[in-house]
Amino acid sequence: MNAWEVVIGIETHVQLATRAKIFSASPIAFGAEANLQANAIDIALPGVLPVLNRTAVEFAIRFGLAAGSEIATRSVFARKNYFYPDLPKGYQISQYEWPVVVGGELTIQAGQESKVIRLTRAHLEEDAGKSLHETAGHSLRGKSGIDLNRAGTPLLEIVSEPDMRSSAEAVAYARALHALVRWIGICDGNMQEGSFRCDANVSVRPAGQTAFGTRREIKNLNSFRFLQQAIDYEVQWRIATLEDGGHIEQATVLFDPDNGETRAMRSKEDAHDYRYFPDPDLLPLFIERDWVEQVHAALPELPAANRQRLLAEYGLSAHDAAVLTSSLEIATYYEATVNAAGKANAKLCANWVMGDLAARLNREGREIDAAPLSASQLGNLLARIADGTISTPVARQVFDALCAGDGTSADEIIASRGLRQISDSDALAKIVDQVLSANMAMVDEFRAGKEKALNALVGQVMKASKGRANPQQVNELLRNKLG
Amino acid sequence: MIPYKPLPSNTSVIFAMSLTLEQVRRVAQLARIEISDDEANSTLAQLNSIFALIEEMQSVDTQGIEPMAHAQEMMQRLRDDLPDARDSGERRAAFQAIAPETAEGLYLVPKVIE
Amino acid sequence: MISSSLQQLAEALGSKAISSVELTQLYLDRIARHDARLNAYITIDAEASLSQARLADQRLARGEGGPLTGIPIAQKDIFCAKGWRTTCASRILDNFVSPYDATVIQRFADAGAVLLGKTNMDEFAMGSSNETSYYGPVRNPWDLDCVPGGSSGGSAAAVAARLTPAATGTDTGGSIRQPAALCNLTGIKPTYGVVSRWGMIAFASSLDQAGALAPSAADCARLLNVMAGFDERDSTSIDRPAEDYCREIDSRPNGLPLAGLKIGLPKQFLGEGNDPQVMQLIEAAIADYEQLGAEFVDVSLPNMGLSVAAYYVIAPAEASSNLARFDGVRYGYRAPDYRDLNDMYRRSRAQGFGAEVKRRILIGTYVLSHGYYDAYYLQAQRIRRLIANDFSEAFRHCDLLLGPTIPSPAFKLGDKAADPVQMYLSDIYTIAVNLAGLPGVSTPCGFVGKLPAGLQLIGNYFSEARLLNAAHRYQQVKPWHLQLPPGFAE
């Protein structure tokens, strides 16, 4: 048996979250009724012309900066010519020889190690419309129905080098890219709605061979799970075929999620001849250094740098840092919480954001940008735990109260409900004495050697004090009194 | 997608720019124009005479000359990202009134097979 | 009335000597009487035109008229006009009623002009004789057996026979200037980017430019004032301050009208290929220009001979892509029978397009296809730059260039139809101007027998006012343009 090496490159079509299309002013909201978001330009009436959307370009610049790529000072739009009913002009406006972004890289976690996946390029282009074979409740009498709402939506096509060597690496790359485009705000990342679509170019070669094997392209994978399954199936099929002495034809391939298999599309013999040429209706796009610098200045700290800083400044674990930088919203919330609570409490903040807050958000089906309490409210609350004003159990009560909107700040609730932790030794001693005299059985058990009885007594003291007793002091007092 | 590597300019490649019938048919398919054999034959002669005209360009040395795509050295203008959703229902009705075949707001074509 | 200039018509309307409704009706009547012989119009909608005329009369009554308010203008059927059939002289758009207005149409409407009708043309502007129209050829009013030129042949014939005071045209390789020359008219193709292409059905996007045909240069200047201007809907539209293209024409210079003007004579324009009688007319015109104060210098445009070859790569290539949208899916002609999607495309386009259009699509598809792009398309674009450089060099030594618009006068219908290359070569003096994106004007310069001849003036970028003035001053001393073809006076 030969050892085989798998070689994977990924092309990702990222739908840019602009408000209007790339070459026309139609809106791009998902799910609109058929052809209501298709104007004269999108329908390709005779005589219409394209004009370029500035924000689409800005988003491309953001991406180039985030990926450490080169932003082309001059790039050119080209026509990719082919006939398809969802392509109204009979050509797609794309970029060919001179894309707006060149090079770049993404670092992924491949098992325990980091691996750098290089990018070839990224370019702007327009999306095509959709063909439907039936509509809800109505058959189209054996025809296809064309909806051009999506035609003209701005896309950034990001092409990686064939640097991945397993489906796991491919998925890690796709996830990292997905997180990045969401982080920099250029894409909503909604894969069910088609905002982020991957094509995987897969080939297989005997281990040690430098020449690439024949490549097949698996198109339009819109979930990480499908990406993994499709590549796994394809690789397994490829190896089996080669080992049987079979021959692999280059092909474009679709994945069928129902049976987990890939199959070649109907051959498009002229698929290779797109007759690219610069679009004469558009002029070369010039991007000046000033603009790039402006975009750069407005970019948030990127995830990798953010993660590094959390490790270095706050001493968080790698795992915690990764979770807290899994989206820009979470990272921003966390940072604001630390600002309110004080840097010394960074770990406490991490625990609560990943713990109590996350649990509540999950329960209520909310994202962090709809959190029921603000980061500064949470931070202030945590500061009160840290400075001993309240105990952790009481803090949970205050947390719930803030989430319910029962007060605007932890301090307000603590004051109005008299929740200050009792740390006064005399006051505590009184309560302890009361509890001890009411719970002689537990006292005896503790003296008989049962450690747990102490916890029960602490619990009783907490109950008697309505949670306000300082648990550490109670513990100490009890031990002193009980000997 | 394989990045296209252009030939070095002024490569003296012998592209005999006279077409065969087979090439005419292939180009007609690329252009989605049905062409009968008779038409292909008569077109062939005319196309070849046009290509002979074009052939005159081939002997010219254009080493170092940049292709000129537009009359002026201009930069693409950018427009603001402002969506315009006015009258979309009326507009769809107007556009589809002139369409060959529609249903449920969709343009109908023979089934697209992948 | 039919010999009035646009300025005189405006004055007549302003002084209420005539109303717009009357004027429009006058031209509609002339069309009804004469157009059967010429076939210059594809669509007339009298009700729509008269309705616009009524609105114009109201504007005039309020004293809100401008230079073109109430004046009927014929529009080449390449401009989308809302509610009007817009066919581009093709079967594939025979049933296309445009849901929107081209910028050119809008600008005329805003100026209060009346849309008189849609004129015939070569199909998709591909032709030099107006013999490729789905609606039949157009005939030259000066000799009904002859072509009027193309592709704006319908506009030219209509103006020449005074079936309209003026008309719009488009010019990709000479399609305004050449028919103007063959029909005894002034025609102007402005600098590329001066008139918006929004709504102008595209043939070759980097070469197409809208312009005007009218009897005189002064008329053309008035038309250009309405047509020209920045349009944000066209990325190739040039954003520069508005100009009054009449300003030089309206000026009263002391001394000779063209004193100080340097005119270049490219030797490539004056060679053996020209009809000797046309050359005589050109030489006489040169003498006239000298009398007006102009000085002549010899210049050379060494790469001009390659312009037709380069054009017949670039234009078909762009056209093959621009015409891909005509597929029977969303509008236009769809074949009645087909087996599947591929068949629907192939038959709709085979049946919808005429032979010349199909030929050019095939050429264009071929020169862009894999392996040929560099050798043909890029090479043509490099030659284009050489040609543009030649003009730039020439303009260092002169202000304008002069030569015949076309080597010989109008040929007979059917003469060149069999050999496309022969037809293409008749554009030899006009094509280079489109490749460089420069402005060009053709002005009548006399007759060869009963057929008109035209003289072309080419200017540097944005020199339309000076070009039109140079044509105008010549027209003041040699008013060939005022002559009417026999048989169309009534």
Side-chain angles (χ1 to χ4, degrees):
Chain A
M1 279 302 156
N2 292 330
W4 297 96
E5 180 178 56
V6 177
V7 175
I8 304 167
I10 293 187
E11 284 170 26
T12 308
H13 289 92
V14 171
Q15 254 183 31
L16 297 178
T18 55
R19 299 168 61 205
K21 294 185 179 181
I22 187 172
F23 296 115
S24 85
S26 295
I28 58 173
F30 182 82
E33 224 187 284
N35 287 309
L36 283 186
Q37 288 177 178
N39 68 13
I41 296 170
D42 307 322
I43 303 280
L45 288 181
V48 297
L49 295 169
V51 185
L52 181 58
N53 182 329
R54 176 181 295 111
T55 301
V57 180
E58 189 199 305
F59 284 5
I61 297 173
R62 279 196 209 172
F63 178 77
L65 290 169
S69 323
E70 190 194 302
I71 316 265
T73 310
R74 179 181 181 275
S75 65
V76 173
F77 287 94
R79 295 187 183 180
K80 178 179 183 182
N81 297 278
Y82 64 97
F83 284 86
Y84 210 67
D86 66 7
L87 193 69
K89 295 188 289 298
Y91 60 86
Q92 175 196 30
I93 303 179
S94 177
Q95 294 189 298
Y96 188 56
E97 275 185 272
W98 298 281
V100 59
V101 168
V102 178
E105 62 184 41
L106 227 59
T107 303
I108 63 171
Q109 293 303 119
Q112 295 294 60
E113 317 240 302
S114 289
K115 179 169 175 173
V116 167
I117 307 293
R118 297 165 302 162
L119 301 181
T120 313
R121 53 183 271 162
H123 69 256
L124 286 166
E125 60 182 27
E126 54 178 353
D127 210 346
K130 283 189 178 160
S131 348
L132 304 171
H133 303 305
E134 64 260 318
T135 61
H138 295 264
S139 138
L140 293 174
R141 307 170 245 147
K143 305 189 184 176
S144 293
I146 307 298
D147 175 11
L148 295 172
N149 281 348
R150 200 181 65 176
T153 301
L155 296 178
L156 187 66
E157 179 179 324
I158 301 167
V159 182
S160 83
E161 292 284 337
D163 285 352
M164 288 152 271
R165 294 287 173 270
S166 69
S167 62
E169 285 184 8
V171 171
Y173 167 81
R175 284 189 182 279
L177 186 62
H178 183 265
L180 184 62
V181 299
R182 289 206 54 239
W183 185 281
I184 58 179
I186 69 171
C187 176
D188 69 11
N190 187 327
M191 294 175 82
Q192 280 100 309
E193 290 181 0
S195 303
F196 187 92
R197 316 188 297 250
C198 291
D199 299 340
N201 289 304
V202 181
S203 67
V204 157
R205 64 187 174 192
Q209 178 180 300
T210 44
F212 290 127
T214 309
R215 213 173 65 162
R216 294 198 342 159
E217 185 185 19
I218 315 172
K219 290 199 77 72
N220 275 335
L221 297 157
N222 68 345
S223 84
F224 299 122
R225 197 162 53 91
F226 292 164
L227 178 62
Q228 169 132 28
Q229 286 177 346
I231 294 174
D232 287 341
Y233 177 83
E234 180 71 15
V235 167
Q236 165 263 123
W237 173 85
R238 202 74 74 85
I239 291 175
T241 306
L242 289 171
E243 286 183 346
D244 276 351
H247 177 63
I248 311 285
E249 295 281 326
Q250 183 166 22
T252 305
V253 150
L254 289 177
F255 176 69
D256 184 346
D258 294 332
N259 62 21
E261 297 179 357
T262 56
R263 69 172 169 84
M265 290 170 78
R266 247 168 51 122
S267 90
K268 291 177 169 179
E269 35 168 300
D270 52 349
H272 305 302
D273 203 346
Y274 293 119
R275 288 158 279 134
Y276 285 98
F277 71 104
D279 192 329
D281 289 329
L282 292 166
L283 299 171
L285 172 62
F286 279 85
I287 296 175
E288 269 146 54
R289 290 299 103 198
D290 281 353
W291 190 13
V292 175
E293 267 151 45
Q294 269 174 42
V295 176
H296 193 246
L299 267 186
E301 183 184 35
L302 295 174
N306 193 329
R307 236 183 326 260
Q308 276 307 107
R309 191 167 53 76
L310 295 187
L311 292 174
E313 279 184 34
Y314 301 157
L316 298 183
S317 71
H319 171 266
D320 288 359
V323 172
L324 292 168
T325 57
S326 55
S327 84
L328 182 61
E329 292 79 22
I330 294 173
T332 308
Y333 191 98
Y334 172 69
E335 205 81 44
T337 307
V338 172
N339 280 339
K343 258 175 89 162
N345 298 316
K347 281 202 176 134
L348 181 64
C349 292
N351 292 340
W352 273 73
V353 169
M354 295 189 304
D356 289 68
L357 178 63
R360 177 174 279 261
L361 291 174
N362 286 341
R363 220 169 38 239
E364 295 179 7
R366 291 177 189 247
E367 296 297 327
I368 201 162
D369 52 9
L373 83 170
S374 72
S376 57
Q377 283 174 325
L378 179 58
N380 287 329
L381 170 60
L382 299 178
R384 291 291 164 263
I385 301 178
D387 67 18
T389 308
I390 51 174
S391 64
T392 301
V394 167
R396 293 214 159 87
Q397 286 178 43
V398 178
F399 178 80
D400 289 341
L402 283 169
C403 287
D406 286 348
T408 53
S409 72
D411 285 337
E412 194 194 300
I413 296 172
I414 291 169
S416 69
R417 298 190 191 182
L419 296 175
R420 286 189 81 85
Q421 190 162 240
I422 304 172
S423 302
D424 176 73
S425 336
D426 293 335
L428 277 178
K430 262 193 172 173
I431 302 176
V432 165
D433 289 339
Q434 278 171 6
V435 164
L436 284 177
S437 50
N439 291 279
M440 294 307 297
M442 280 190 220
V443 173
D444 291 338
E445 279 179 32
F446 175 67
R447 286 203 172 125
K450 258 197 168 168
E451 272 295 314
K452 276 199 191 169
L454 185 71
N455 291 341
L457 285 167
V458 171
Q460 288 299 317
V461 174
M462 295 305 291
K463 200 169 133 193
S465 69
K466 297 197 180 53
R468 290 169 57 209
N470 182 323
Q472 287 94 319
Q473 285 187 261
V474 168
N475 220 298
E476 273 176 43
L477 275 171
L478 281 171
R479 282 193 191 275
N480 288 343
K481 286 185 188 274
L482 296 177
Chain B
M1 186 212 72
I2 306 159
Y4 177 88
K5 294 266 183 291
L7 294 171
S9 78
N10 225 44
T11 306
S12 57
V13 185
I14 302 126
F15 283 115
M17 203 182 188
S18 76
L19 300 191
T20 63
L21 208 55
E22 189 39 51
Q23 284 173 306
V24 173
R25 287 200 203 98
R26 188 180 63 82
V27 168
Q29 169 53 17
L30 270 181
R32 295 299 186 276
I33 299 177
E34 181 180 67
I35 182 166
S36 70
D37 283 348
D38 282 345
E39 278 174 293
N41 270 311
S42 67
T43 310
L44 188 55
Q46 290 171 331
L47 289 178
N48 282 332
S49 73
I50 297 167
F51 288 137
L53 165 69
I54 294 172
E55 209 57 49
E56 288 173 26
M57 287 193 315
Q58 295 319 99
S59 54
V60 181
D61 182 2
T62 53
Q63 193 89 44
I65 308 286
E66 270 303 297
M68 176 176 168
H70 286 105
Q72 320 274 341
E73 279 304 303
M74 292 197 320
M75 308 184 324
Q76 175 62 33
R77 192 170 11 93
L78 300 173
R79 62 168 228 277
D80 292 335
D81 185 26
L82 298 170
D84 182 352
R86 288 173 299 174
D87 305 324
S88 52
E90 259 179 54
R91 183 184 63 203
R92 182 177 73 176
F95 287 172
Q96 296 198 352
I98 61 172
E101 207 181 338
T102 59
E104 317 283 326
L106 299 164
Y107 291 98
L108 293 188
V109 295
K111 190 140 188 156
V112 172
I113 304 169
E114 308 208 307
Chain C
M1 199 97 287
I2 64 169
S3 292
S4 304
S5 69
L6 291 179
Q7 178 161 8
Q8 288 165 336
L9 286 177
E11 283 161 9
L13 286 163
S15 70
K16 311 273 192 308
I18 190 169
S19 71
S20 176
V21 167
E22 287 166 335
L23 188 59
T24 303
Q25 191 62 61
L26 188 155
Y27 281 102
L28 288 169
D29 291 343
R30 284 185 62 75
I31 292 168
R33 274 202 301 286
H34 296 294
D35 192 47
R37 291 191 278 158
L38 299 176
N39 197 27
Y41 283 91
I42 293 176
T43 300
I44 299 289
D45 183 347
E47 239 338 283
S49 303
L50 290 168
S51 155
Q52 290 181 22
R54 282 189 287 273
L55 286 175
D57 280 329
Q58 286 169 21
R59 257 177 88 166
L60 289 163
R62 291 196 298 269
E64 288 167 17
L68 286 190
T69 307
I71 298 182
I73 306 285
Q75 299 286 348
K76 184 175 182 178
D77 204 15
I78 198 171
F79 295 103
C80 289
K82 185 169 180 178
W84 288 73
R85 213 167 127 230
T86 300
T87 69
C88 237
S90 179
R91 184 185 192 192
I92 218 165
L93 289 178
D94 179 48
N95 66 353
F96 177 70
V97 175
S98 178
Y100 80 109
D101 276 333
T103 297
V104 164
I105 299 289
Q106 244 173 43
R107 292 182 77 107
F108 275 107
D110 291 345
V114 172
L115 209 175
L116 185 59
K118 298 299 222 68
T119 59
N120 205 345
M121 50 183 281
D122 277 305
E123 188 183 358
F124 283 106
M126 299 184 197
S128 309
S129 63
N130 218 136
E131 293 178 281
T132 69
S133 166
Y134 176 60
Y135 303 98
V138 176
R139 288 164 187 279
N140 190 323
W142 294 91
D143 180 341
L144 297 176
D145 292 331
C146 286
V147 303
S151 64
S152 309
S155 285
V159 178
R162 301 299 188 267
L163 303 191
T164 180
T168 54
T170 63
D171 190 312
T172 304
S175 293
I176 286 174
R177 293 160 287 153
Q178 186 252 40
L182 299 189
C183 291
N184 201 49
L185 302 175
T186 313
I188 175 156
K189 178 201 94 65
T191 308
Y192 182 87
V194 161
V195 178
S196 169
R197 294 187 299 114
W198 174 262
M200 189 174 116
I201 299 177
F203 157 24
S205 318
S206 75
L207 302 167
D208 294 343
Q209 188 61 192
L213 295 103
S216 72
D219 293 334
C220 283
R222 288 195 163 219
L223 292 164
L224 195 56
N225 275 350
V226 167
M227 296 174 78
F230 173 64
D231 182 3
E232 62 181 15
R233 290 173 293 193
D234 174 1
S235 292
T236 60
S237 174
I238 299 188
D239 191 357
R240 55 194 293 277
E243 266 191 62
D244 174 11
Y245 294 101
C246 297
R247 65 184 188 275
E248 287 195 26
I249 287 174
D250 291 342
S251 71
R252 291 173 193 285
N254 298 321
L256 293 175
L258 296 179
L261 187 70
K262 271 215 171 109
I263 303 183
L265 291 173
K267 68 176 191 224
Q268 291 80 6
F269 283 6
L270 306 170
E272 285 172 5
N274 295 330
D275 177 312
Q277 291 177 285
V278 169
M279 276 317 296
Q280 275 177 2
L281 294 172
I282 298 292
E283 271 150 37
I286 291 173
D288 290 318
Y289 270 100
E290 283 175 327
Q291 297 275 308
L292 290 167
E295 253 183 73
F296 282 86
V297 297
D298 289 328
V299 295
S300 178
L301 302 169
N303 292 288
M304 230 213 50
L306 299 167
S307 55
V308 177
Y311 176 85
Y312 279 99
V313 169
I314 296 169
E318 295 182 4
S320 70
S321 180
N322 285 330
L323 269 59
R325 68 190 60 198
F326 301 109
D327 57 9
V329 174
R330 299 164 310 290
Y331 51 82
Y333 180 83
R334 181 188 282 198
D337 299 300
Y338 44 86
R339 292 184 306 259
D340 56 29
L341 179 65
N342 194 37
D343 213 37
M344 186 194 88
Y345 284 148
R346 290 166 54 94
R347 289 193 191 185
S348 300
R349 291 163 62 79
Q351 294 165 18
F353 289 135
E356 181 62 28
V357 169
K358 285 192 272 202
R359 247 193 309 271
R360 296 201 195 190
I361 292 176
L362 292 179
I363 295 170
T365 305
Y366 187 82
V367 300
L368 288 175
S369 61
H370 187 61
Y372 299 108
Y373 170 77
D374 217 59
Y376 293 103
Y377 189 78
L378 282 189
Q379 177 73 346
Q381 298 279 48
R382 291 187 196 104
I383 284 174
R384 184 177 185 172
R385 186 172 296 283
L386 288 178
I387 290 170
N389 291 348
D390 283 355
F391 279 112
S392 295
E393 177 56 33
F395 285 126
R396 290 181 45 218
H397 307 289
C398 63
D399 305 309
L400 306 178
L401 302 172
L402 182 154
T405 307
I406 127 168
S408 46
F411 45 91
K412 297 232 187 282
L413 277 121
D415 255 8
K416 304 203 178 179
D419 186 354
V421 174
Q422 272 306 303
M423 187 75 82
Y424 299 164
L425 289 172
S426 64
D427 289 332
I428 194 146
Y429 298 133
T430 49
I431 274 181
V433 180
N434 300 80
L435 289 171
L438 293 166
V441 163
S442 181
T443 181
C445 66
F447 288 83
V448 175
K450 57 177 181 169
L451 294 175
L455 176 163
Q456 181 179 219
L457 296 164
I458 303 167
N460 210 342
Y461 301 105
F462 309 115
S463 64
E464 291 84 359
R466 177 156 60 188
L467 265 183
L468 287 167
N469 184 50
H472 168 74
R473 300 295 170 181
Y474 171 76
Q475 290 176 356
Q476 301 291 91
V477 299
K478 285 283 156 70
W480 306 106
H481 64 291
L482 295 179
Q483 288 191 33
L484 292 187
F488 289 93
E490 300 305 303

